[in-house]
Amino acid sequence: MKENKQMETLPFKKIYTRVIQITKATCTLEATGVGCEEMALVDGKSAQVIKINGRQVTLQVFEGTEGIKTDAEVVFLGKAPSLKVSDEMGGRFFNAYGVPIDGKYTPHGKEVEIGGPSINPVRRKQPFDLIETGIAGIDLNNTLLAGQKIPFFADTDQPYNAVIALVALRSNADRIILGGIGLSNDDYLYFKNLFVNTDMPEKIVGFINTTEDPTVERLLIPDMALSAAEYFAIEKNEKALVLLTDMTLYCDALSIVANRMDQIPSKDSMPGSLYSDLAKIYEKSVQLHSGGSITIISVTTISEGDITHAIPDNTGYITEGQLFLRRDTEIGKVIIDPFRSLSRLKQLVIGKQTREDHPQVMNAAIRLYADAANAKTKLENGFDLSDYDKRTLKFAKEYAQQLLAIDINVDITKMLNTTWNLFRRNFKPEELGIKSKYIEQYWEKATEMEDEHSLMDENMNPANTSFKQRNKTEVKWQ
Amino acid sequence: MRTGKVKAIVSNLVIVTADGAVAQNEICHILLGEIFLKAEVIKTAGDDAYVQVFESTRGLKVGDEVIFQGHLLEVSLGPGILTKKYDGLQNDLDKIESIFLSRGTYTDALDMNSEWDFIPLVKNGDMVVAASWLGEVKEKNIPHKIMAPFILDGEFSVKKIADAGRYKLTDTIATLEDKQGNETAITMVQKWPVIKTLKGYKEKIRPYKLLETGIRIIDMMNPMAEGGTGFIPGPFGSGKTVLQHAIARQAKVDVVVVVACGERANEIVEIFTEFPQLDDPQTGGKLIDRTVIIANTSNMPVASRQASVYTGMTIAEYYRAMGLKVLVLADSTSRWAQALREISNRMEELPGPDAYPMDLPAVVSGFYARAGQVKLVNGKDGSITFIGTVSPAGGNLKEPVTEATKKAAHSFYALSQRRADSKRYPAIDAIESYSKFLDYPELVSYMHQTIAQNWKTEVVKMKDRLFKGHEAMEQISILGDDNVPVDYHETFWKSELIDFVILQQDAFDSVDGFTSLERLKYMQQKISEICEASFHFSAYEEVGVYFRSIINAWKQINYSAFQSEEFKNFNRQLDEIVNERKQTNGNVTV
Ligand SMILES: Nc1ncnc2c1ncn2[C@@H]1O[C@H](COP(=O)(O)OP(=O)(O)OP(=O)(O)O)[C@@H](O)[C@H]1O
Ligand SMILES: [Mg+2]
């Protein structure tokens, strides 16, 4: 792969051959006329200017400096990292430098520098376009909108890649751009097969850095993916959905670089600029007036649910909510945890584009689910339960089974009806604290549930992922 | 013209070899092809000036030319600021046509060709000093004062003041003359360096008047005063921004400066989108008419993020000097502190706790000190109330920014993760939070006059009840529901009642979202009445069921317009429920 890694070098570029200092990640040489953040090749290895002091230029070598000699050939490329953007990217997979890894031709297109300027806030439109996923943990409790940025927080043993793939397939995105950051080769192939075997394989574009590629190269992946997304959203008015997985590995790469450059680490040995670094990526999500949009759904793996670690913490401060994946031992399935999960943009649509009782019903259900958690603690501490406690426990189980489980696939109105049914089965209206006009309207109508199994999407079992689910999601591809 | 050449570059820190003297904090322009990048001198050593660049330095080269500008970072002040959307350096974002904010694009903060109907407020021969009101124009719904330059020193006489009429922003509307006979021509525009306090007042006075926000837990329990300062720390997602936006919409002030400092662009878009639609009940105009937005979102360069809070504060000081009540909201001051940290680390300064610069507490308190209630040179009042959010790493309040801010601010609204998780919004922890204004006799007597004579006593009692409820809950969870006296349950549920119907407030509901002082008074009486009463229960299980029905009835009231038919009906229902179990034999205090 090494030979085709970088764009062709121009013949008249000056070649330097005297490297005066080499560290683990950087090398320094004397050169003039070099620009900040300019790309270079050091013995054919990609590098970028990170510091200039008089004639001394320090380069970060992405794949590490092992084997670089003091007489290495250094060529400056006269430009920052860039990507050739065009429709030809559709259906293709690239590495961190935007070079194809699928064995096909290099797409033509306009060359743009990645990591470009931010969008003028006054040219943004307020997000309004609801993304339906059929998953109640999302659509009912944490409704997503186009133009939103939201991570899944998941322990490493959760099926997060299957879940984001499912969300992407069920969404109505025009283009799905996968940024694979330290993806295992198996997961890369999973995504590739899943997307390429749909009836519209050109919808997917992948920028992939696998665990087999150099760690520091990962740092280019999000910017590559987002430059492609900007092309489709801005030039083509498409709805682009960007999947970034796993952003924790991106942050780890940042800390490796910072550490090698002797920067003062802040919390959890992360660089002090972590917030700004992540914000530059996530803030590329946007809803444009023209109809184009960039939505970012990412994965941030966490360790034993610890969200106070600097990576999830900074992420949470930047993104518009987060979705927590958790295994519910009661029902033996993966759910989207209603407590720590949040969509900050949901209030723009719920009760407005969805049925008017949506906000209140959602909140009441979560409150009752919280009461159930308290009752459970009581039970674990060996105390007797009150009648109310028992009813909340029963409610919580049904709620998890019929709504929270990730394998449910129904529309929002159905989700609301199901919730009303659960309310009616377990509670009295005055225990809900819901506006009386909604009680009057929906309480009497709530009927017994139909067959629970009809709700399940048999093709989706994330714990045991098969690639067959595309058949089920085909309708959404038109 | 003093110039220099780029000598070294690390990210946005550039070392420039200067060919002449440079001033600390002086602005310079670094030429980069067709464009120039704005930068600020932050340190000098010999001929070397260390400058922080307000833009990306990508492509910058050693030897690139630098031109020093001879002034500090300054804002333009004049009519037309209201409704503007600026970035941290006061570029008018609406004047940038493109989708992207490309580097080196700078726009006028004011509409230089705009015309205003001017009314003089002084006569020829009058004596004036810095910040004296020379005339006024109508800007949206406020009388915008055209003031004598803030840099004037000593007394000046008005040589000529323009007649009432329509003038361009840049027309001379007055000529002032000092004792030596030197003349100064005055237009409607002046400039001021943002890092210096724009005084324009005679003296600071103690805050004494409630700043009404319509948010119950603030107005009733932890009041903010006009000219006071407060801060809202809380982990991510706990509701800082929602709370600040509610305050921006509802606060009874004349001008609101919203500084989005290193936060999400969509949040500021929400203000752009919604404020032009929302009515300002005080003036009849739209909310946007009293609002200035400084949008330096998290993806914009950190150096201008740091500048943004100063830009916002200076604009506020300008409006305060007109005798107005100004509210400044900054979200989030932690991002500002982090910007300071990034640059300090790049300069390889000796780091303080968590790698923040050593002088962080001084910087924070210096900034908070710019707020305040003042007496102007003409004896009128003006105020700046400042409320900042703090985003503590990991939600842990023992971190440098929170601690530094705690020393600087009057009131503290701690948002709790637990409350946010259980959707008890606003998630302000009523026990942890405080307002020093509760101990200001001036404010207390103001509240006694405007709300009720026993306001303070009731506030203290309510805090007590919450505290006791919390203790009762702990006992219940240690000993079990039926191993404690039924009283404990009652005490606990009374605190839950306060929580559900008073502390919790639906920011997105048009009725519940805003509570007037009149309604607050009603609620305070009602809650006191219920909490003072004692109820009859034969088993602990009845307590929760009963109080849930009280809460439910009261919530219906909260969703109904004050004193509407609906309101009265639900209120009657509530009274009926309360009377069901209320013990008639005297009032037992809980
Ligand atoms: N008063 C409220 N009423 C209803 N919902 C609320 C309220 N406050 C917060 N929320 C909910 O919590 C979400 C997060 O609130 P907000 O954006 O204000 O958090 P934050 O503390 O500013 O977080 P960050 O530090 O990440 O910016 C909101 O999008 C909303 O869904
Ligand atoms: Mg916020």
Side-chain angles (χ1 to χ4, degrees):
Chain A
M1 209 152 54
K2 203 158 283 174
E3 44 286 43
N4 64 358
K5 198 164 255 178
Q6 259 302 342
M7 22 299 181
E8 62 295 349
T9 59
L10 299 167
F12 45 85
K13 285 277 172 196
K14 185 165 178 207
I15 298 175
Y16 295 87
T17 53
R18 225 173 67 80
V19 176
I20 52 181
Q21 196 192 10
I22 303 175
T23 68
K24 264 192 203 156
T26 65
C27 63
T28 304
L29 68 153
E30 294 215 333
T32 50
V34 174
C36 191
E37 297 182 17
E38 185 172 335
M39 290 297 279
L41 293 175
V42 180
D43 265 353
K45 295 182 179 181
S46 292
Q48 187 176 19
V49 176
I50 50 169
K51 186 172 167 181
I52 309 175
N53 191 354
R55 291 174 57 83
Q56 296 197 354
V57 177
T58 304
L59 291 162
Q60 161 171 299
V61 183
F62 286 104
E63 58 186 273
T65 51
E66 293 87 354
I68 290 183
K69 298 202 292 284
T70 49
D71 63 351
E73 284 193 359
V74 181
V75 188
F76 291 94
L77 301 176
K79 60 185 176 190
S82 55
L83 175 71
K84 285 196 178 137
V85 292
S86 71
D87 286 356
E88 292 178 19
M89 290 187 289
R92 304 293 308 278
F93 285 81
F94 305 92
N95 70 9
Y97 304 107
V99 174
I101 53 171
D102 50 10
K104 295 187 221 159
Y105 73 99
T106 306
H108 306 276
K110 188 176 77 179
E111 185 159 10
V112 296
E113 289 190 353
I114 65 163
S118 36
I119 286 176
N120 186 351
V122 302
R123 303 287 162 245
R124 288 171 178 265
K125 184 175 164 67
Q126 187 167 43
F128 62 93
D129 188 3
L130 199 157
I131 298 176
E132 277 203 72
T133 68
I135 300 169
I138 297 178
D139 297 3
L140 179 66
N141 291 344
N142 301 290
T143 325
L144 300 186
L145 301 188
Q148 187 163 8
K149 44 191 176 286
I150 194 163
F152 276 90
F153 282 173
D155 274 340
T156 41
D157 58 347
Q158 299 295 337
Y160 48 84
N161 280 337
V163 174
I164 61 168
L166 180 75
V167 171
L169 289 173
R170 289 206 191 146
S171 77
N172 60 349
D174 299 314
R175 200 68 66 164
I176 298 166
I177 298 161
L178 171 67
I181 305 159
L183 215 53
S184 75
N185 201 51
D186 297 354
D187 280 356
Y188 162 48
L189 294 175
Y190 162 69
F191 276 116
K192 195 174 164 185
N193 287 328
L194 183 62
F195 289 123
V196 167
N197 291 326
T198 58
D199 54 348
M200 291 187 75
E202 67 277 14
K203 266 191 167 185
I204 181 83
V205 182
F207 293 89
I208 309 292
N209 160 279
T210 68
T211 43
E212 290 157 35
D213 299 323
T215 313
V216 179
E217 280 180 14
R218 282 172 202 172
L219 296 178
L220 296 171
I221 294 280
D223 283 345
M224 281 287 169
L226 288 159
S227 290
E230 282 179 344
Y231 167 76
F232 290 115
I234 295 170
E235 313 261 317
K236 298 284 163 173
N237 299 336
E238 291 187 2
K239 299 182 193 178
L241 173 61
V242 178
L243 306 175
L244 297 174
T245 172
D246 166 1
M247 284 299 284
T248 297
L249 298 179
Y250 173 85
C251 299
D252 288 343
L254 277 180
S255 80
I256 291 172
V257 171
N259 177 276
R260 286 180 184 163
M261 291 177 54
D262 295 324
Q263 284 177 8
I264 311 161
S266 68
K267 201 166 166 276
D268 298 316
S269 52
M270 283 293 143
S273 59
L274 182 63
Y275 179 84
S276 305
D277 296 335
L278 288 175
K280 280 205 192 84
I281 294 170
Y282 283 114
E283 278 295 329
K284 294 258 174 196
S285 62
V286 64
Q287 172 68 57
L288 296 160
H289 285 277
S290 63
S293 63
I294 300 177
T295 308
I296 302 179
I297 296 183
S298 67
V299 169
T300 298
T301 50
I302 54 178
S303 171
E304 284 161 29
D306 178 15
I307 59 152
T308 64
H309 185 282
I311 297 173
D313 188 48
N314 278 282
T315 304
Y317 274 123
I318 291 163
T319 52
E320 284 150 347
Q322 65 280 333
L323 298 166
F324 258 85
L325 285 185
R326 174 167 75 80
R327 174 162 289 275
D328 186 314
T329 44
E330 202 78 9
I331 62 164
K333 280 183 181 174
V334 174
I335 64 164
I336 291 180
D337 191 328
F339 295 149
R340 307 304 305 272
S341 303
L342 177 70
S343 161
R344 313 260 182 125
L345 300 187
K346 63 171 185 279
Q347 52 261 23
L348 297 176
V349 292
I350 60 171
K352 296 171 189 158
Q353 287 180 35
T354 64
R355 211 167 70 189
E356 53 171 1
D357 55 324
H358 187 161
Q360 294 233 335
V361 169
M362 166 196 83
N363 279 326
I366 295 176
R367 217 163 32 233
L368 295 166
Y369 193 71
D371 284 349
N374 290 338
K376 212 169 157 193
T377 316
K378 266 197 215 171
L379 198 62
E380 283 160 4
N381 292 342
F383 294 125
D384 291 340
L385 295 184
S386 68
D387 166 59
Y388 178 79
D389 291 334
K390 287 177 193 150
R391 286 184 286 131
T392 59
L393 283 177
K394 181 161 162 289
F395 165 80
K397 187 165 178 190
E398 292 168 349
Y399 180 58
Q401 233 156 20
Q402 295 176 27
L403 287 163
L404 295 182
I406 203 117
D407 57 2
I408 307 288
N409 185 9
V410 292
D411 69 33
I412 297 180
T413 307
K414 185 94 177 262
M415 292 171 192
L416 290 170
N417 291 342
T418 305
T419 317
W420 278 109
N421 287 332
L422 297 182
F423 285 163
R424 183 145 183 214
R425 263 205 274 180
N426 297 297
F427 301 103
K428 293 195 269 308
E430 62 270 22
E431 286 171 325
L432 302 177
I434 288 180
K435 271 190 197 174
S436 60
K437 70 169 188 188
Y438 299 141
I439 301 272
E440 282 156 24
Q441 204 165 342
Y442 298 105
W443 185 262
E444 286 303 325
K445 282 196 215 147
T447 50
E448 280 302 306
M449 284 296 307
E450 60 259 71
D451 180 17
E452 280 166 26
H453 287 286
S454 69
L455 292 177
M456 310 271 183
D457 177 354
E458 303 93 35
N459 286 310
M460 175 54 196
N461 179 0
N464 161 30
T465 308
S466 77
F467 302 143
K468 278 181 239 133
Q469 63 242 29
R470 70 193 144 82
N471 300 332
K472 185 74 178 185
T473 45
E474 233 160 36
V475 271
K476 298 261 180 183
W477 282 101
Q478 288 148 16
Chain B
M1 188 171 70
R2 288 162 305 126
T3 60
K5 292 227 178 304
V6 170
K7 179 182 167 191
I9 312 157
V10 201
S11 192
N12 77 327
L13 178 67
V14 171
I15 303 176
V16 177
T17 316
D19 66 5
V22 294
Q24 178 71 353
N25 296 107
E26 184 171 351
I27 294 298
C28 61
H29 292 172
I30 306 178
L31 306 187
L32 178 68
E34 308 272 275
I35 59 166
F36 67 85
L37 307 179
K38 239 189 207 183
E40 180 185 22
V41 176
I42 49 174
K43 178 179 148 181
T44 51
D47 286 342
D48 286 349
Y50 288 66
V51 306
Q52 61 169 344
V53 186
F54 293 117
E55 310 265 4
S56 154
T57 53
R58 184 180 272 185
L60 201 63
K61 293 178 176 159
V62 164
D64 282 345
E65 184 135 3
V66 180
I67 303 168
F68 291 93
Q69 301 296 308
H71 61 79
L72 310 189
L73 182 65
E74 52 191 16
V75 287
S76 300
L77 301 168
I81 291 178
L82 295 179
T83 76
K84 280 271 189 293
K85 303 149 188 171
Y86 294 126
D87 73 359
L89 305 180
Q90 213 200 7
N91 290 299
D92 183 350
L93 292 170
D94 276 314
K95 293 193 181 106
I96 303 175
E97 296 292 332
S98 57
I99 288 191
F100 287 111
L101 294 173
S102 34
R103 285 190 293 177
T105 313
Y106 304 104
T107 56
D108 281 333
L110 298 171
D111 304 330
M112 299 316 272
N113 293 320
S114 60
E115 292 183 351
W116 302 86
D117 289 322
F118 175 80
I119 302 165
L121 294 176
V122 289
K123 303 181 302 296
N124 291 343
D126 281 357
M127 295 307 282
V128 296
V129 294
S132 290
W133 298 351
L134 305 177
E136 86 181 31
V137 300
K138 188 160 184 281
E139 181 187 13
K140 300 297 173 188
N141 296 301
I142 64 148
H144 184 119
K145 306 292 190 252
I146 307 300
M147 292 171 276
F150 302 109
I151 47 163
L152 292 186
D153 198 13
E155 276 200 320
F156 286 68
S157 70
V158 177
K159 181 113 189 278
K160 179 164 181 2
I161 181 82
D163 296 331
R166 201 161 173 82
Y167 297 90
K168 255 178 72 174
L169 196 66
T170 47
D171 287 345
T172 299
I173 48 93
T175 309
L176 303 183
E177 187 179 57
D178 71 3
K179 300 226 163 67
Q180 287 74 43
N182 302 316
E183 291 183 7
T184 313
I186 309 296
T187 69
M188 295 187 210
V189 187
Q190 40 178 322
K191 296 201 169 187
W192 189 262
V194 297
I195 51 169
K196 291 193 181 158
T197 303
L198 186 165
K199 281 191 69 181
Y201 57 81
K202 196 161 63 196
E203 57 179 346
K204 276 205 166 163
I205 56 176
R206 267 166 71 96
Y208 64 95
K209 209 170 151 190
L210 176 76
L211 181 110
E212 209 184 316
T213 66
I215 296 160
R216 297 190 282 264
I217 189 167
I218 296 182
D219 292 358
M220 191 189 279
M221 295 182 66
N222 301 291
M224 175 53 75
E226 282 176 11
T229 55
F231 78 115
I232 310 170
F236 66 80
S238 55
K240 298 181 288 298
T241 306
V242 170
L243 187 60
Q244 267 205 343
H245 283 192
I247 297 172
R249 285 195 303 269
Q250 299 176 356
K252 296 219 166 147
V253 293
D254 303 310
V255 172
V256 180
V257 181
V258 178
V259 184
C261 167
E263 290 290 309
R264 304 169 184 84
N266 277 340
E267 290 172 349
I268 210 73
V269 171
E270 187 174 313
I271 297 187
F272 296 165
T273 316
E274 288 171 10
F275 278 33
Q277 314 289 331
L278 298 170
D279 293 324
D280 175 4
Q282 293 184 85
T283 62
K286 295 293 178 193
L287 273 182
I288 197 74
D289 296 342
R290 64 169 203 178
T291 312
V292 187
I293 300 160
I294 319 285
N296 211 96
T297 56
S298 55
N299 50 342
M300 297 193 191
V302 288
S304 48
R305 185 198 295 171
Q306 186 213 329
S308 65
V309 292
Y310 293 101
T311 298
M313 186 56 90
T314 310
I315 290 172
E317 285 167 340
Y318 176 63
Y319 281 95
R320 175 173 66 184
M322 298 175 201
L324 298 173
K325 293 180 215 164
V326 187
L327 171 66
V328 182
L329 300 167
D331 188 12
S332 150
T333 61
S334 293
R335 305 302 162 216
W336 159 49
Q338 285 178 344
L340 295 172
R341 174 168 76 180
E342 278 185 39
I343 199 75
S344 152
N345 292 0
R346 232 162 257 147
M347 303 250 292
E348 296 176 358
E349 289 176 351
L350 195 66
D354 288 3
Y356 282 103
M358 286 297 239
D359 60 349
L360 181 73
V363 174
V364 170
S365 84
F367 183 77
Y368 274 76
R370 288 174 72 166
Q373 173 94 31
V374 300
K375 277 259 174 287
L376 303 178
V377 285
N378 61 9
K380 299 231 162 54
D381 277 1
S383 67
I384 294 177
T385 310
F386 177 76
I387 303 177
T389 64
V390 169
S391 318
N396 178 2
L397 298 189
K398 292 222 164 349
E399 57 90 48
V401 185
T402 314
E403 286 182 339
T405 312
K406 215 164 175 177
K407 287 180 201 132
H410 291 107
S411 39
F412 171 64
Y413 304 107
L415 298 189
S416 127
Q417 180 80 63
R418 263 204 13 257
R419 290 184 65 81
D421 282 349
S422 50
K423 315 276 177 217
R424 296 186 177 212
Y425 293 120
I428 298 175
D429 183 326
I431 295 174
E432 285 289 302
S433 303
Y434 61 73
S435 162
K436 289 188 182 155
F437 295 121
L438 272 182
D439 299 325
Y440 275 43
E442 302 94 325
L443 188 98
V444 172
S445 83
Y446 179 87
M447 296 299 269
H448 285 171
Q449 281 156 32
T450 43
I451 301 190
Q453 270 309 321
N454 57 349
W455 172 76
K456 172 96 188 261
T457 330
E458 285 301 329
V459 169
V460 174
K461 274 199 213 159
M462 191 137 81
K463 289 199 171 190
D464 255 12
R465 287 185 185 116
L466 286 169
F467 192 69
K468 284 189 187 140
H470 182 74
E471 286 179 334
M473 180 67 228
E474 282 182 340
Q475 290 298 312
I476 296 169
S477 45
I478 295 169
L479 301 170
D481 284 330
D482 41 8
N483 291 326
V484 295
V486 174
D487 275 12
Y488 280 44
H489 287 273
E490 192 173 324
T491 308
F492 166 66
W493 273 102
K494 280 178 176 167
S495 73
E496 283 288 275
L497 174 65
I498 296 175
D499 191 337
F500 273 93
V501 304
I502 293 192
L503 307 189
Q504 290 175 45
Q505 189 171 3
D506 187 345
F508 305 121
D509 185 274
S510 56
V511 176
D512 193 30
F514 178 85
T515 304
S516 66
L517 292 185
E518 212 186 350
R519 186 164 187 155
L520 216 51
K521 177 176 174 177
Y522 151 85
M523 294 180 89
Q524 199 180 40
Q525 277 169 3
K526 194 101 195 162
I527 201 82
S528 161
E529 202 180 293
I530 298 180
C531 290
E532 297 279 322
S534 101
F535 296 90
H536 174 78
F537 297 108
S538 45
Y540 85 86
E541 292 211 286
E542 293 170 7
V543 186
V545 173
Y546 179 63
F547 273 94
R548 263 188 210 103
S549 64
I550 294 187
I551 290 170
N552 186 53
W554 194 324
K555 280 203 135 170
Q556 311 301 334
I557 302 178
N558 284 356
Y559 288 126
S560 315
F562 191 48
Q563 301 300 9
S564 63
E565 268 317 300
E566 224 188 342
F567 175 99
K568 288 177 185 151
N569 277 337
F570 287 128
N571 194 38
R572 253 193 310 280
Q573 283 177 27
L574 175 65
D575 287 343
E576 278 164 22
I577 301 173
V578 170
N579 289 330
E580 262 170 45
R581 283 182 185 264
K582 193 162 151 183
Q583 291 191 334
T584 40
N585 51 345
N587 284 345
V588 188
T589 322
V590 205

